[in-house]
Amino acid sequence: QVQLVESGGGLVQAGGSLRLSCAASGRTFSTYGIGWFRQAPGKEREFVARIMWNSGRTTYADPVKGRFTISRDNAKNTVALQMNSVKPEDTAVYYCAANNYPLGLPGTDPTDYTYWGQGTQVTVSS
């Protein structure tokens, strides 16, 4: 079992920055691929970013590419999502998710992940 807890959400003005954090506990975290997803009201949960267990590879959804950065610190069992130049359309509940992917990148579909945090609300005002 892996427990995930997100933090860092809040209210931010368009053009501002926010840093989300995902703290993991439980099983060995270092071999787990991590993904960030978000879900706006009335919409399906969508992929935002993902990172390989050793930080060797990352990918981003097109709407956040160039603005968001995913990173991890396996020594601290944390994954961060740095959000810059935020837009009102970034408003959503943000979730981190994990699954054991020791050989490559985790997927971009929510069904590719076994463990989920409870989510943190991000609201961007215009």
Side-chain angles (χ1 to χ4, degrees):
Q1 285 283 355
V2 172
Q3 291 80 41
L4 304 172
V5 178
E6 302 95 337
S7 61
L11 177 63
V12 60
Q13 285 190 331
S17 297
L18 209 59
R19 186 176 179 85
L20 305 184
S21 182
C22 175
S25 61
R27 286 194 172 189
T28 303
F29 177 71
S30 60
T31 61
Y32 278 65
I34 301 296
W36 281 97
F37 291 79
R38 65 188 183 185
Q39 188 166 17
K43 294 188 176 181
E44 293 187 350
R45 192 166 298 189
E46 64 175 6
F47 166 74
V48 174
R50 58 180 174 167
I51 187 167
M52 193 171 168
W53 69 273
N54 62 354
S55 302
R57 291 178 62 192
T58 59
T59 68
Y60 300 88
D62 285 343
V64 307
K65 203 170 292 183
R67 301 187 296 120
F68 292 9
T69 302
I70 188 173
S71 61
R72 68 188 294 164
D73 185 339
N74 286 342
K76 297 182 179 179
N77 282 3
T78 57
V79 176
L81 184 70
Q82 179 67 41
M83 305 168 59
N84 297 330
S85 302
V86 295
K87 304 175 181 179
E89 52 263 44
D90 293 323
T91 295
V93 177
Y94 283 71
Y95 300 89
C96 66
N99 206 358
N100 195 7
Y101 283 91
L103 299 179
L105 272 171
T108 60
D109 191 276
T111 60
D112 293 325
Y113 295 81
T114 301
Y115 305 104
W116 290 84
Q118 82 290 348
T120 185
Q121 176 70 47
V122 171
T123 303
V124 182
S125 62
S126 56

